[in-house]
Amino acid sequence: MRESDWSSDVCSSDLFPSHDSTYMKTWVFDKGQPSDLDEVLDKEILYHCIASSKSNPNVQNSLKKGHPLTYMPGELNVVPGLRNLLSKARKNQKIFALLSPKQAYGEGGLGNIVQPNESVFFNITIASVRKL
């Protein structure tokens, strides 16, 4: 649905993506707390993630497991579309991201968890950002 299809009486502009490209749509609901680590790459980001796809509503859920995931900029332990988002993460930031297959698991998918060429939706909350 296009933004022009929505009545301003019905929806807030906050419902429309903060970033919208061919490969990724993101919604930032809480911009988090600015810090001197915003531009630093030598940091560790702890975050909670709930991910789902059309074929699997339970791709990942760190909240259910009870501990956050970890990302350090430059590492390849997350899908390409999340690397840039997480590198710029701020504590308490809340982000929704809909990643195209190219930015998620691509042509190969992820075993029997994500089908080949399937988009994946991520609900992310940044728990902490700390300097290494």
Side-chain angles (χ1 to χ4, degrees):
M1 184 172 286
R2 295 182 324 254
E3 186 169 343
S4 60
D5 294 338
W6 292 87
S7 163
S8 61
D9 295 334
V10 176
C11 290
S12 161
S13 62
D14 291 342
L15 295 178
F16 299 105
S18 308
H19 173 82
D20 188 351
S21 72
T22 305
Y23 302 110
M24 178 171 34
K25 295 180 189 319
T26 58
W27 295 260
V28 178
F29 293 100
D30 188 332
K31 295 183 180 185
Q33 302 166 348
S35 80
D36 55 354
L37 296 176
D38 287 350
E39 302 301 321
V40 174
L41 292 179
D42 192 20
K43 59 187 171 185
E44 178 182 59
I45 297 107
L46 278 77
Y47 65 101
H48 282 287
C49 176
I50 300 171
S52 59
S53 67
K54 186 174 182 180
S55 68
N56 184 355
N58 299 305
V59 170
Q60 184 175 47
N61 188 336
S62 67
L63 288 171
K64 190 174 184 179
K65 292 181 179 181
H67 57 83
L69 303 169
T70 302
Y71 176 70
M72 289 182 276
E75 288 192 350
L76 303 178
N77 63 330
V78 298
V79 296
L82 291 186
R83 289 182 201 140
N84 190 40
L85 283 176
L86 292 173
S87 293
K88 298 175 182 176
R90 294 177 168 174
K91 183 178 180 183
N92 297 327
Q93 193 172 27
K94 293 177 181 29
I95 305 167
F96 286 175
L98 178 61
L99 304 183
S100 71
K102 182 176 182 173
Q103 292 296 307
Y105 296 98
E107 294 177 2
L110 181 64
N112 62 354
I113 299 171
V114 176
Q115 298 300 308
N117 296 311
E118 188 170 40
S119 296
V120 180
F121 180 80
F122 293 86
N123 175 345
I124 298 169
T125 301
I126 307 301
S128 70
V129 179
R130 59 184 173 204
K131 186 165 177 52
L132 293 175

